[in-house]
Structure formats: structure tokens, C-alpha cells
Amino acid sequence: TDAGLKALAERLPPLEHLSLGVPNSSGVQDAGVKVLAAHLPCSLTCLSLDFSRCLVTSEGARRLAERLPAGLQELRLSFCNCYLDRLGAAALAEKFPQALRILNLNFCRCPVEDAGAASVARHLPSGLQQLRLNFKGSGLRSEAVVEVLARS
């Protein structure tokens, strides 16, 4: 639930690595993501969050994006079956830390469409060494994905 996520977030020590999987149907919504984001340690270099099948929208993604630590080198986010659209994908992409070396984004069955994928491609950090994207069932045309990634 959002309350459980809040209780955890408020007690986070100054970590370098944080990996959190939220069980589906846990009741986590944008409010919980907002609280977690507000308490992310600035010392993080590796962040892995799985919100698959939670009630997270583009607003939650935007709040998370606003608080991503500048020194983050590895980012793994899963929003599979969430309510995140092209605006949420764009909000995340626009705030990718330039220190990122590894990026793994799962937008499976989120309506991010071509515009969301294009935003991700436009904002990929120049020093990125590993990239994994999942847009299955996200309203992308296959030729658009190839075009977008070819330009990145």
C-alpha cells in the first residue's frame, strides 16, 4: 500500500543501491511513488523499482523523475500494466541523469505509443553502455521503434 511504501521510504538510510519490487495489487498509487521519490538518497548509484500492475500513472512517473539522483549510474524501472502514457515516458526521459551507464525500462502494456518511445530515444545519455527497452503492447508501430532507435 501507499502507507507501507511511505513507512519504508521514511526510514531509508543513505544507500548506494536500492532494489524494490512492489507486489501487484498492493494498492500502490502515485501518492506512494511520490513519497518514495522524495526520500530517495542522493547517494544512490543504482536504482531498481518494479511497479508492475500497480495503479501508477504518468503523474507518479513525473514525481519519480524529478527526484532521480544526479549520480545515478544504473536505472531499472518497470511499469508493466500501469497507467503510464507518453507523458509519463517523456517526463522520465527528460530527467535521465547524465551519469547513467545502464538503463532498463519496461513499459509493457502501457499506452506510451510512438511519441513516448521517441522521447526516450531523444534523451538517452551519451555515456550509456547498456540499454534494454520493453514496449510490448504499448501502441508502437514496429517501424517507428526502428526509426526512433536508429536516430539515437
Side-chain angles (χ1 to χ4, degrees):
T1 65
D2 286 339
L5 200 52
K6 179 181 181 209
L8 172 70
E10 290 175 344
R11 290 167 182 78
L12 284 177
L15 303 169
E16 289 185 14
H17 298 263
L18 175 62
S19 181
L20 178 65
V22 179
N24 59 5
S25 306
S26 64
V28 169
Q29 300 180 27
D30 292 337
V33 175
K34 178 183 174 183
V35 171
L36 176 63
H39 290 87
L40 286 178
C42 60
S43 56
L44 279 178
T45 59
C46 177
L47 178 62
S48 178
L49 300 174
D50 186 348
F51 294 113
S52 296
R53 295 181 187 91
C54 290
L55 301 173
V56 178
T57 71
S58 292
E59 177 62 18
R62 184 181 67 76
R63 296 296 186 138
L64 178 62
E66 291 172 350
R67 300 300 301 248
L68 290 175
L72 202 60
Q73 296 176 17
E74 183 174 341
L75 180 61
R76 299 173 190 276
L77 299 174
S78 181
F79 294 101
C80 188
N81 280 321
C82 288
Y83 299 95
L84 192 134
D85 62 15
R86 62 181 171 77
L87 298 175
L92 283 167
E94 290 167 7
K95 299 290 186 176
F96 286 153
Q98 288 304 303
L100 273 184
R101 300 294 171 255
I102 298 171
L103 179 62
N104 183 337
L105 298 175
N106 184 354
F107 294 121
C108 169
R109 291 187 283 288
C110 292
V112 298
E113 303 175 330
D114 295 341
S119 291
V120 169
R122 270 195 311 274
H123 294 92
L124 291 174
S126 59
L128 203 60
Q129 296 171 356
Q130 182 180 339
L131 175 65
R132 183 173 180 174
L133 302 172
N134 184 352
F135 291 108
K136 289 180 185 174
S138 297
L140 270 68
R141 297 173 293 126
S142 59
E143 64 273 9
V145 175
V146 172
E147 290 172 24
V148 164
L149 293 177
R151 284 184 267 142
S152 63

